[in-house]
Amino acid sequence: MSRTCLLVVALVLASCVENEPVYGPDGKPVPQGYQISDEGPARIQFRMLDSVNILRQARGLEPVALSAHLNAAAKTHALDMSVQNRPWHFGSDGSSPLDRVARAGYSGRLLGENISETYETELETLSAWMEKLEARQVILDPRARDIGFAWHQEPSGKIWWTLVMGEPAARTEDEGETPSQ
């Protein structure tokens, strides 16, 4: 088994929590509350970054790096989805993902946005995104070099996740690279 596969398996196993499922009166499992502690935010962002980069590396793609601008756009949208109480790509003010990354000061190009409303962990959410073609294409876009990832957790435990992928603006000759043709 390759080193990358072993690392992915280790990440998946590390995210598993040994809780017996609790079933509601309808016979369906009751969502388990994944509470994000005050110390958790940095660990969660880096766990998502590392996991995305492992998935990208396994497909021969360049890694992505966290972008403060894209993180801000993702955080704004996660909170706004909670306020609207619906997972969708438009803000309560009618803003689109393009509007939000521009407002956050990102000078590159937005490649895509993944969103989720769940009680699941960030790694379970990433796994669910990877099962959906459109969401997987955002994560594995070969042009991506920047990632923004944030969430808002309600007191009930529901989490609104937002992941944004971007392509940095082309560097000019003054910045050490020649402009793209």
Side-chain angles (χ1 to χ4, degrees):
M1 187 177 278
S2 75
R3 208 169 104 195
T4 301
C5 289
L6 287 174
L7 192 52
V8 170
V9 169
L11 280 171
V12 170
L13 291 175
S15 71
C16 294
V17 178
E18 294 202 24
N19 288 338
E20 288 293 321
V22 176
Y23 296 96
D26 60 359
K28 294 182 181 177
V30 174
Q32 298 294 309
Y34 172 60
Q35 282 301 124
I36 299 172
S37 68
D38 291 340
E39 310 90 49
R43 285 195 321 250
I44 290 170
Q45 271 191 326
F46 285 107
R47 196 165 36 236
M48 177 62 82
L49 174 66
D50 291 344
S51 298
V52 165
N53 280 333
I54 288 167
L55 293 167
R56 292 177 61 83
Q57 179 187 18
R59 287 162 179 83
L61 299 171
E62 293 291 319
V64 293
L66 285 171
S67 159
H69 296 294
L70 293 181
N71 283 342
K75 181 66 176 173
T76 298
H77 192 54
L79 177 60
D80 193 42
M81 286 190 297
S82 172
V83 169
Q84 296 182 71
N85 196 33
R86 64 178 167 178
W88 74 324
H89 294 282
F90 294 95
S92 56
D93 62 355
S95 63
S96 71
L98 288 168
D99 298 328
R100 287 189 297 277
V101 298
R103 283 183 199 159
Y106 186 67
S107 61
R109 186 171 125 199
L110 171 72
L111 297 174
E113 176 183 77
N114 290 341
I115 57 173
S116 180
E117 167 197 16
T118 186
Y119 291 89
E120 296 177 328
T121 69
E122 66 281 358
L123 295 181
E124 290 169 317
T125 301
L126 176 60
S127 178
W129 284 334
M130 290 301 290
E131 292 176 12
K132 296 179 182 171
L133 177 63
E134 296 84 8
R136 184 172 57 249
Q137 287 173 330
V138 169
I139 294 165
L140 300 178
D141 190 317
R143 300 167 294 173
R145 295 296 178 275
D146 294 328
I147 184 174
F149 178 68
W151 60 91
H152 173 74
Q153 186 167 34
E154 296 178 353
S156 68
K158 183 189 293 185
I159 307 170
W160 302 86
W161 301 105
T162 305
L163 178 141
V164 184
M165 299 294 273
E167 177 182 26
R171 300 174 101 185
T172 64
E173 289 180 42
D174 294 336
E175 295 175 303
E177 292 185 14
T178 56
S180 301
Q181 294 286 333

